[in-house]
Amino acid sequence: MSNCCDEKKLEANFKDEQVDLSLLDETLNELSHEKGNLISILQKAQDIYGYLPLSVLKYISAETGVKRATIYGVATFYTQFRLNPIGKYLILQCQGTACHVNGSDEVSRALREELKITPGETTPDGIFTLENVACLGCCSLAPVMMINGEAYGKLTPAKATKIIRDIYKKEREGEKNEN
């Protein structure tokens, strides 16, 4: 990136949040000495922080000598990388063929209405992030969604809404017990 304005425009895609960069030192010490480890470094960074904060990407560049433009390119190219924080509960809603023919569109509409967000967004309270995925590999459960690794199948709009409301209820009860 030779133009600083282009770099600023690209950086606008990433949430700029200050985090404890020392959490990444062990990973960098282990992986930064070999070429071709950038994806592994970014994966470990995302495991640590939950997403890829801009400050982390700049730190990786400074510590590895890999140009920021290269790091930004990799982080934005691969869909596995998140540029913004996700909610406490990550909902992966399957849009595969089996789910589609079994009503995933209606389930998706119910989730969007209940959460008041669209795929790729997080609820303002930070509880849920909704993502559409091509396939969860649970075709016999179609239509299916996964929340933090737990599959919920044979969904109807009413079942999907109930699951979300039950999680919200559990969250509210947890808050009351903390106070």
Side-chain angles (χ1 to χ4, degrees):
M1 297 240 142
S2 58
N3 188 327
C4 74
C5 297
D6 289 340
E7 188 169 321
K8 293 288 183 208
K9 195 161 127 181
L10 184 58
E11 288 178 352
N13 292 312
F14 298 89
K15 182 162 178 73
D16 193 11
E17 187 171 79
Q18 295 307 309
V19 295
D20 182 357
L21 298 172
S22 69
L23 298 175
L24 197 53
D25 288 342
E26 184 178 329
T27 297
L28 290 171
N29 288 335
E30 177 187 330
L31 298 174
S32 67
H33 305 294
E34 291 182 44
K35 282 189 176 271
N37 279 344
L38 179 58
I39 290 175
S40 296
I41 292 170
L42 292 174
Q43 288 169 329
K44 296 259 188 183
Q46 184 166 279
D47 288 346
I48 291 168
Y49 303 104
Y51 71 107
L52 297 174
L54 182 59
S55 59
V56 168
L57 299 178
K58 288 179 177 180
Y59 186 66
I60 291 170
S61 176
E63 295 298 310
T64 63
V66 176
K67 291 181 181 179
R68 281 196 277 177
T70 300
I71 293 171
Y72 298 165
V74 170
T76 57
F77 179 79
Y78 292 101
T79 57
Q80 68 177 300
F81 295 122
R82 293 184 292 274
L83 310 182
N84 292 294
I86 59 169
K88 183 174 181 180
Y89 297 91
L90 176 61
I91 303 167
L92 303 177
Q93 213 246 318
C94 185
Q95 299 299 327
T97 303
C99 287
H100 178 73
V101 299
N102 283 291
S104 67
D105 285 347
E106 292 81 17
V107 172
S108 186
R109 188 175 308 106
L111 289 170
R112 290 191 314 267
E113 289 173 5
E114 181 67 23
L115 297 168
K116 297 175 181 42
I117 59 173
T118 59
E121 295 180 336
T122 299
T123 55
D125 58 10
I127 301 293
F128 291 100
T129 296
L130 179 61
E131 294 285 347
N132 282 338
V133 296
C135 184
L136 289 170
C138 305
C139 300
S140 64
L141 299 176
V144 64
M145 70 178 170
M146 193 170 280
I147 302 177
N148 289 1
E150 184 177 344
Y152 297 85
K154 305 286 186 191
L155 293 173
T156 63
K159 280 175 76 174
T161 301
K162 181 179 181 337
I163 292 164
I164 298 305
R165 289 178 181 167
D166 288 349
I167 292 172
Y168 263 131
K169 181 179 177 186
K170 184 176 93 175
E171 285 296 309
R172 283 191 296 274
E173 289 171 359
E175 288 174 7
K176 287 178 188 173
N177 292 337
E178 289 175 7
N179 293 331

